Amino acid sequence: MQFDDDANLDTSEVKDVRGSRIPGGRATVGGGIVGFIALILGLLFGVGPEQLGLSAGDPEPVATSSSVARVERACRTGADANTREDCRIVAVVNSVQDFWRAEYARRGGRYGDARTVMFTNQVGTACGSATSAVGPFYCPGDRQVYLDLGFFDDLRTKFGSSGGPFAQAYVVAHEYGHHVQNMMGTLARAQDGRAGANSNAVRVELQADCYAGVWAHHATTTPDEKTGRPLLTELTEADIRDGMDAAAAVGDDRIQEKFQGRVTPENWTHGSAAQRQQWFHTGYTTGDMARCNTFR
């Protein structure tokens, strides 16, 4: 996975609040077993922490003296994206949104941008307060993606993914799939409180996987709006395998087998490993969001 060294990154699409704190310092879901259970239940759920019973408040993060270097200072070019993890996320966000803007324009519509918020430990959102234990998620209330970069270590060490840069890109593109669903009005189908292999929650998640694949199909041919050249210049079959492996690692059956010793499809919220791979592959091989109808 390689970005154009000379491309200029648009850091306005990412808000960096790492090292900030929520006023009062109270986390709704803590560490230990409570936080770990929240991670298992909410991994990549994508519809905001209120779905996990988290706080309904949305305090704004407050910067502290321990705040790390902000991405707007460190992430200037594609060369930075090729050497720094946080800059890579900026570049992926730019590429994903370049594609969806072009796709919406091609279809006669207008895409509404969504920022990614990088945080550490805990964050306040329009969907409630959340900790890193929730995993990456999209909040429809403020139309933002929330991501603690430490999740990518968990993806490898706790869930057995092979990791790699494109595994990270898959996660980000999946969350932006939820943003597309929110714009189209389909995201709300997941919020009927039901779970299970045939639930709307699973269908929404699988569609977001498919949308991530659609972006991947077009990523190396989508021109950056500033340079006219693709921001992502190389995506190999090895990269796609890393993405497929990440999709499988967060399948409900894999997670249940690993952490509770048995598979209970009636509790699924995301779909099986095979389903997640299948729908990402469908999007990647066809490049057509119309082929991502998981509600049939």
Side-chain angles (χ1 to χ4, degrees):
M1 181 175 176
Q2 188 77 15
F3 295 96
D4 177 3
D5 281 341
D6 297 324
N8 293 320
L9 301 184
D10 183 359
T11 58
S12 70
E13 294 184 354
V14 175
K15 182 179 181 181
D16 188 356
V17 298
R18 292 173 295 168
S20 301
R21 63 176 176 83
I22 294 178
R26 181 176 63 84
T28 306
V29 176
I33 189 63
V34 174
F36 188 66
I37 290 172
L39 175 62
I40 300 306
L41 294 178
L43 185 70
L44 297 178
F45 196 69
V47 293
E50 81 282 2
Q51 297 299 315
L52 299 175
L54 307 190
S55 168
D58 60 337
E60 284 293 317
V62 175
T64 69
S65 58
S66 63
S67 295
V68 299
R70 296 289 183 252
V71 294
E72 58 264 28
R73 296 199 298 268
C75 303
R76 305 282 185 148
T77 68
D80 297 324
N82 288 324
T83 56
R84 284 182 56 130
E85 181 181 55
D86 52 358
C87 299
R88 183 186 308 134
I89 300 305
V90 174
V92 171
V93 170
N94 290 172
S95 176
V96 169
Q97 298 210 105
D98 280 344
F99 167 69
W100 285 116
R101 278 190 288 267
E103 180 67 7
Y104 265 70
R106 186 179 73 81
R107 292 172 175 268
R110 186 163 183 256
Y111 173 78
D113 288 358
R115 281 198 305 184
T116 286
V117 179
M118 293 183 188
F119 72 98
T120 50
N121 300 322
Q122 58 185 15
V123 69
T125 83
C127 296
S129 301
T131 73
S132 302
V134 175
F137 63 91
Y138 169 73
C139 174
D142 55 27
R143 295 160 65 105
Q144 295 187 139
V145 171
Y146 290 87
L147 174 65
D148 186 327
L149 298 184
F151 168 77
F152 297 128
D153 291 329
D154 291 337
L155 191 59
R156 288 185 298 101
T157 61
K158 293 181 180 178
F159 298 95
S161 167
S162 60
F166 190 76
Q168 299 174 356
Y170 154 73
V171 171
V172 173
H174 171 99
E175 297 304 337
Y176 274 89
H178 286 311
H179 177 56
V180 172
Q181 291 171 323
N182 189 38
M183 292 180 60
M184 296 176 66
T186 55
L187 183 61
R189 295 193 188 191
Q191 301 179 42
D192 59 9
R194 298 176 183 175
N198 296 315
S199 66
N200 283 336
V202 167
R203 295 176 190 275
V204 161
E205 294 298 330
L206 295 178
Q207 187 176 62
D209 283 335
C210 188
Y211 287 164
V214 171
W215 160 72
H217 176 94
H218 296 281
T220 58
T221 58
T222 298
D224 178 71
E225 293 180 343
K226 302 178 190 65
T227 66
R229 303 187 305 270
L231 177 57
L232 185 60
T233 59
E234 182 181 39
L235 194 59
T236 67
E237 286 304 310
D239 291 322
I240 298 302
R241 284 196 297 272
D242 284 340
M244 294 277 284
D245 189 70
V250 292
D252 284 320
D253 53 342
R254 292 271 187 97
I255 292 174
Q256 289 176 340
E257 181 67 34
K258 185 176 180 66
F259 296 107
Q260 68 183 29
R262 67 188 189 282
V263 176
T264 54
E266 64 273 15
N267 296 323
W268 287 3
T269 57
H270 288 72
S272 69
Q275 286 175 313
R276 300 202 70 168
Q277 287 187 317
Q278 172 198 337
W279 281 104
F280 174 81
H281 187 259
T282 295
Y284 176 65
T285 55
T286 67
D288 183 1
M289 66 182 299
R291 298 288 295 275
C292 295
N293 185 358
T294 56
F295 294 92
R296 290 176 180 165

